[in-house]
Amino acid sequence: MSCVQHILLLTITYCLYRNIYKDSMIMAAPNTSPDTVAVLVTVEIEPSMEEEFVKIMTNDAIESRKEEGCLTFHLLKVAGKESTYSFYEAYENVDAQKLHKTLPHYLEWAEFKKKGGVKSQVVISHSGLNIL
């Protein structure tokens, strides 16, 4: 097989893969249950405790995503604001959210707050309308 034929074959394979993947994403059914709950939390962290915060919340996000009933968990750094982060988490229902708050990775976050690592916190609760 010539180099040109090989590149053509790879290109065709990639395009087919991409179209299959794209179609599967389009066909994914969103979670539209009125029982879905979500929170958007924005926190300003004590600068001296920021490294500890990132470690704890990265673990919380990773472990939360493994929970049955957790639809998503994202940890974000707020652009242009020192030591300020947001996290967005969504659950199938209130029971799944309550269970989350009993697990070790959440309790580590709660302990961090008790130690004074959070300068300010804003929590906005939501009900889910269309969550993939």
Side-chain angles (χ1 to χ4, degrees):
M1 179 181 298
S2 74
C3 186
V4 172
Q5 289 172 321
H6 191 263
I7 291 171
L8 182 59
L9 180 61
L10 287 174
T11 302
I12 291 169
T13 303
Y14 171 76
C15 289
L16 288 172
Y17 169 79
R18 190 172 153 172
N19 283 335
I20 290 168
Y21 178 75
K22 182 179 142 198
D23 288 344
S24 69
M25 291 303 291
I26 290 170
M27 294 171 60
N31 180 322
T32 56
S33 169
D35 295 334
T36 302
V37 294
V39 292
L40 175 62
V41 180
T42 300
V43 291
E44 183 181 357
I45 302 301
E46 286 293 338
S48 64
M49 300 177 77
E50 193 168 358
E51 187 175 323
E52 180 182 1
F53 167 81
V54 170
K55 179 181 175 191
I56 288 169
M57 288 309 298
T58 297
N59 183 59
D60 192 14
I62 291 168
E63 294 303 316
S64 295
R65 291 180 197 126
K66 297 175 185 176
E67 296 171 28
E68 186 175 336
C70 179
L71 300 173
T72 193
F73 195 116
H74 300 279
L75 175 61
L76 308 162
K77 172 75 176 81
V78 176
K81 286 194 157 196
E82 292 296 315
S83 304
T84 304
Y85 296 81
S86 292
F87 40 100
Y88 172 76
E89 49 194 288
Y91 300 89
E92 289 179 358
N93 53 47
V94 171
D95 290 337
Q97 186 182 42
K98 285 180 182 176
L99 174 64
H100 167 72
K101 292 182 177 184
T102 68
L103 299 174
H105 48 276
Y106 175 86
L107 296 175
E108 197 174 4
W109 157 240
E111 187 61 34
F112 177 83
K113 290 195 302 184
K114 284 182 190 175
K115 292 190 316 189
V118 178
K119 289 174 70 173
S120 67
Q121 175 175 310
V122 176
V123 178
I124 302 172
S125 297
H126 302 80
S127 59
L129 295 178
N130 189 339
I131 300 173
L132 286 179

